[in-house]
Amino acid sequence: MIRILLADDHTIIRDGLKKILSTVPDMQVVAEAADGNELLALLRAGLPDVLLLDMSMPGRSGIVLIQQLQASYPALPVLVLSMYRESQYAVQAIRAGAAGYLSKNVESDQLIGAIRKVARGGTAVSAAIADKLIGQARQPLAALPHARLTARELQVFQMLAEGQGINEIASALSLSGKTVSTHKANILAKLELSSTAGLVHYAIRHGLLAEAGELGEASHTP
């Protein structure tokens, strides 16, 4: 029996995953977490066989959380199930220690197969992401400006592009507003941008968010 911990801040996503996995004889959802802090508390009480992790949750999340999990629980297979389709997030997640990365539009059979694979110690990514990873590995770093962002900068970048403000990000990540502002300045410098609006357009242009249409409001942020 593969014991699975689901970590996603959307109840409807967790319910959907539980419904899918309840039909699989060799899998059992043993715990659920809605944010990074709740997840860490559950892991301290006992490790599952596989952690199915959302890339973006309140509090600790994303690449920084994966790095923390790798440092504290190196034997725990982490399978990321994310709305972010762009290959750079997959690269960062795998480098941080994730055992796999799938988009949330993946078919149920693919998800079940990926869980079994990482539970056995393997690595699982979708065919589309694998192709992108190979292509990206052949590109010079200069061709991918956002590849120069650190894990924390990438996390702040995501949140800024989604329309979150400095104070909102600071609260979610338990950072000071000054620290978030510094990260923002570094991000803009590395991407050679001059404003949040430019950052949002960059995210849309490079496919760094799940749906560009969701950014209609954010694109007008000064």
Side-chain angles (χ1 to χ4, degrees), residues 51-209:
L51 169 60
L52 194 56
L53 179 67
D54 181 22
M55 192 74 166
S56 179
M57 298 187 297
R60 300 179 188 181
S61 67
I63 303 301
V64 174
L65 177 57
I66 295 172
Q67 289 174 327
Q68 182 175 356
L69 293 173
Q70 174 64 17
S72 300
Y73 309 104
L76 174 64
V78 177
L79 177 58
V80 176
L81 190 61
S82 175
M83 68 178 181
Y84 298 109
R85 298 174 298 187
E86 204 274 338
S87 60
Q88 178 59 25
Y89 295 110
V91 172
Q92 292 269 4
I94 298 299
R95 287 177 177 171
Y101 187 106
L102 298 175
S103 297
K104 283 187 175 178
N105 62 358
V106 70
E107 296 291 337
S108 298
D109 289 347
Q110 290 178 282
L111 173 61
I112 292 167
I115 291 173
R116 288 184 176 134
K117 188 171 183 180
V118 301
R120 294 194 301 265
T123 301
V125 294
S126 68
I129 289 176
D131 288 343
K132 289 183 179 179
L133 293 177
I134 293 171
Q136 183 170 308
R138 294 171 177 168
Q139 289 181 293
L141 185 60
L144 297 163
H146 55 277
R148 297 194 291 270
L149 300 180
T150 67
R152 178 64 84 184
E153 288 169 351
L154 186 63
Q155 188 175 30
V156 172
F157 171 88
Q158 290 175 211
M159 299 173 82
L160 287 169
E162 290 167 352
Q164 298 187 48
I166 296 296
N167 292 335
E168 189 177 1
I169 295 171
S171 176
L173 300 182
S174 299
L175 300 173
S176 69
K178 182 177 180 180
T179 298
V180 175
S181 294
T182 298
H183 284 313
K184 177 181 177 181
N186 290 338
I187 292 166
L188 292 174
K190 289 182 179 181
L191 300 184
E192 298 182 356
L193 301 171
S194 60
S195 66
T196 302
L199 184 150
V200 172
H201 289 303
Y202 180 98
I204 294 172
R205 187 168 64 253
H206 290 275
L208 296 174
L209 294 176

Side-chain angles (χ1 to χ4, degrees), residues 6 8-18 81 104:
L6 300 180
D8 194 298
D9 61 320
H10 294 98
T11 303
I12 191 170
I13 297 294
R14 297 198 308 273
D15 287 347
L17 290 170
K18 283 190 296 183
L81 190 61
K104 283 187 175 178

